[in-house]
Amino acid sequence: MSSVAIIGDMDTVSGFRLGGVKKAEVVNTAEEAIAAFDKFLDEEVSIIIITQVLANEIREHVNRKIGSSVLPMMIEIPDKDGSSEGSSDQMNDLIKRVIGVEMVK
């Protein structure tokens, strides 16, 4: 595992492609996002960047597939419309997955 992939809307994906990310999927539905996510899992991608809106729509599928595994790391980013309401705290989730302890504020 050593690559980065992006899943998102056309504008977001285009920006990452311009930045050099070669593995990229433009998706418009949760079903397309699941297919792209599974494809990148099969390709053993280390980091999957996904827009928050799509991540929220496929979170249950992602949790079933990667569970408490550290890799691939899934990074949620705002799409062109900004941050979504109710997005999870990524750093706390990552810490919990890596060390198995939930950090309390």
Side-chain angles (χ1 to χ4, degrees), residues 56-92:
N56 288 335
E57 290 179 15
I58 68 168
R59 188 162 321 282
E60 196 171 299
H61 177 78
V62 170
N63 289 340
R64 274 195 315 270
K65 287 288 192 169
I66 62 175
S68 62
S69 176
V70 176
L71 291 176
M73 181 187 313
M74 194 164 105
I75 300 174
E76 298 174 23
I77 61 169
D79 63 7
K80 63 184 176 186
D81 297 323
S83 287
S84 66
E85 292 295 321
S87 60
S88 65
D89 185 358
Q90 294 178 50
M91 189 56 70
N92 279 341

Side-chain angles (χ1 to χ4, degrees), residues 5-45:
I6 176 77
I7 301 171
D9 59 85
M10 177 63 82
D11 294 337
T12 303
V13 169
S14 295
F16 276 86
R17 281 185 176 151
L18 287 171
V21 175
K22 293 183 181 0
K23 294 179 185 271
E25 288 288 329
V26 175
V27 300
N28 297 306
T29 65
E31 292 77 21
E32 291 174 350
I34 288 171
F37 181 81
D38 289 346
K39 172 186 169 189
F40 292 140
L41 279 182
D42 291 342
E43 294 177 7
E44 296 187 348
V45 170

